[in-house]
Amino acid sequence: SICKLKQNRQFVQGFIFSKVGDTFHQFYKNALPFQLTEDQKNVVREIRQDTQTGKQMNRLLQGDVGSGKTIVALLCMLLAKDNQFQSCLMAPTEILAQQHYISLKELMINMPVDIGYLSGKTKSKERKELLAKLADGSLHIIIGTHALIEEAVIFKNLGLCIIDEQHRFGVAQRKKLWDKNTMPPHILVMTATPIPRTLAMTAYGDLDVSVIKNLPPGRKPITTIHRPEIHRAKVMEFIRHEISLGRQAYIVYPLIEESEKLDYENLLQGFEQVKCFFHAHQYNIAMVHGKQKPIEREQNMQSFVQGKAHILVATTVIEVGVNVPNASVMLIES
């Protein structure tokens, strides 16, 4: 049972974050760009309680895209910094890691917090400087891809690891982060995938579960509509209208068969069909799928993120929360 899972959970000694210090208070009072929702405040309280017990925190934070998980993560990293600990945030793709870095860097613009970014593409001179600052403790927060788990990455005092969309990382990869300090750091795992609480407790028996249910105020409601094949032309016309207003659109071909080959063929057929409705001289269409070389996939995603591509045709490889606020439509086939 779930209760037994909880009872059998091992006690692992953890670092004590004994205080809420100046950096946290300064940001919360003067620089936080919006009011936290009650759900966000509750999660911060739960994490605060976890990190002062002397036991290693292992917490799963589940919340929809746009629910404000990142700001909760930042507040936790400021809590670590005020207790003389470093933090890292690991994301499964370069685009997602970059987005975290850019948004957090903006939030910290007038704060005494040094944030770095590390990926497989970081140039050697920059990498050398980053690694030196991590080792001497002058870099407080590092954000990156799985490049963070490389042996060369040595922290002076890693106290908190945040893993975004953790189902993309294996157990061995996560363990490498735990081994970056003599005592394992606190762990916060974030996901936008809705997991029922009972299932979460079974699947993640070693994790406490926090949920952000409510979206911050001012978010527009999402309209979900089902349309049969006979309405395809009208749906494409609707997308064309949104693009004429300066918006962008996703067209997603989900896993139809348990076969990469069939998924790929399905996507290519769909891509040709989309091109019939959106002629190349008028519309820029990018395509993303798992068979592409990572560099090509990255370039195509970037062209959509930067607004150069009007439409992104993709498989479910794009599921990991990429933030393109200008995209107003997602058409999901089948």
Side-chain angles (χ1 to χ4, degrees):
S1 74
I2 288 162
C3 294
K4 272 191 181 165
L5 268 172
K6 293 270 183 192
Q7 284 163 8
N8 293 340
R9 185 184 296 172
Q10 279 185 308
F11 177 91
V12 178
Q13 198 176 352
F15 297 112
I16 296 174
F17 293 180
S18 60
K19 64 175 181 179
V20 180
D22 293 343
T23 317
F24 185 101
H25 284 305
Q26 192 186 333
F27 177 72
Y28 196 87
K29 286 176 185 170
N30 305 323
L32 190 64
F34 45 76
Q35 280 238 307
L36 293 187
T37 64
E38 280 310 307
D39 283 351
Q40 287 170 320
K41 286 178 188 172
N42 287 338
V43 175
V44 173
R45 266 186 227 113
E46 286 170 343
I47 290 164
R48 173 78 194 108
Q49 283 160 4
D50 285 351
T51 54
Q52 60 184 350
T53 60
K55 179 186 168 189
Q56 185 208 22
M57 173 179 79
N58 269 306
R59 189 165 284 279
L60 170 71
L61 173 56
Q62 192 263 308
D64 207 348
V65 173
S67 64
K69 297 187 295 295
T70 309
I71 203 77
V72 168
L74 175 60
L75 288 166
C76 298
M77 292 191 277
L78 296 184
L79 184 64
K81 191 240 175 211
D82 281 338
N83 286 276
Q84 279 70 57
F85 289 96
Q86 295 165 297
S87 303
C88 71
L89 193 167
M90 185 166 78
T93 66
E94 196 150 335
I95 287 175
L96 195 53
Q98 272 178 346
Q99 285 185 345
H100 281 311
Y101 175 66
I102 290 162
S103 63
L104 296 184
K105 193 89 174 149
E106 259 174 45
L107 287 165
M108 291 290 100
I109 202 152
N110 295 314
M111 298 290 298
V113 178
D114 198 355
I115 303 184
Y117 173 75
L118 183 69
S119 80
K121 288 185 187 167
T122 306
K123 292 187 168 68
S124 56
K125 183 177 179 247
E126 202 181 327
R127 177 184 290 263
K128 204 174 174 183
E129 287 169 8
L130 272 176
L131 296 184
K133 288 171 80 177
L134 275 179
D136 70 20
S138 57
L139 191 63
H140 307 114
I141 295 170
I142 183 97
I143 294 162
T145 58
H146 55 273
L148 294 176
I149 63 176
E150 291 168 6
E151 277 181 39
V153 181
I154 296 164
F155 293 81
K156 185 182 182 188
N157 198 13
L158 179 64
L160 173 67
C161 287
I162 298 173
I163 302 169
D164 199 10
E165 297 298 348
Q166 75 111 37
H167 61 282
R168 293 302 187 95
F169 297 107
V171 175
Q173 285 176 308
R174 296 200 300 276
K175 188 179 180 301
K176 283 182 182 175
L177 274 181
W178 294 19
D179 294 340
K180 296 281 183 187
N181 208 340
T182 46
M183 209 153 64
H186 295 298
I187 304 291
L188 179 67
V189 165
M190 303 196 298
T191 182
T193 309
I195 306 167
R197 188 173 284 269
T198 48
L199 179 61
M201 286 175 177
T202 310
Y204 302 103
D206 59 333
L207 297 178
D208 293 304
V209 181
S210 293
V211 181
I212 299 178
K213 289 179 189 159
N214 302 316
L215 292 181
R219 303 271 171 173
K220 290 182 181 174
I222 295 166
T223 311
T224 306
I225 304 163
H226 177 254
R227 289 283 179 264
E229 181 63 36
I230 53 165
H231 289 163
R232 181 173 293 276
K234 279 185 181 174
V235 170
M236 294 303 185
E237 191 50 53
F238 172 67
I239 291 174
R240 202 177 281 128
H241 175 68
E242 288 294 303
I243 292 170
S244 74
L245 299 175
R247 296 297 189 176
Q248 292 162 276
Y250 294 94
I251 298 180
V252 183
Y253 290 82
L255 296 161
I256 307 295
E257 306 280 345
E258 286 299 310
S259 157
E260 247 189 70
K261 185 174 180 286
L262 288 171
D263 289 334
Y264 181 56
E265 285 170 1
N266 189 45
L267 177 77
L268 289 186
Q269 285 167 8
F271 187 60
E272 292 307 316
Q273 191 178 34
V274 171
K275 286 199 294 192
C276 293
F277 285 97
F278 299 93
H279 300 299
H281 64 274
Q282 218 177 337
Y283 299 95
N284 187 4
I285 307 168
M287 181 162 66
V288 166
H289 57 82
K291 279 195 169 184
Q292 284 169 323
K293 289 179 179 165
I295 191 160
E296 185 188 354
R297 190 161 66 232
E298 201 76 28
Q299 282 169 348
N300 289 354
M301 272 300 322
Q302 282 294 359
S303 76
F304 189 67
V305 169
Q306 291 163 7
K308 293 172 187 170
H310 300 103
I311 297 170
L312 183 68
V313 176
T315 58
T316 47
V317 77
I318 58 144
E319 73 173 287
V320 174
V322 171
N323 179 25
V324 183
N326 191 49
S328 60
V329 188
M330 181 179 280
L331 170 62
I332 302 173
E333 290 282 348
S334 304

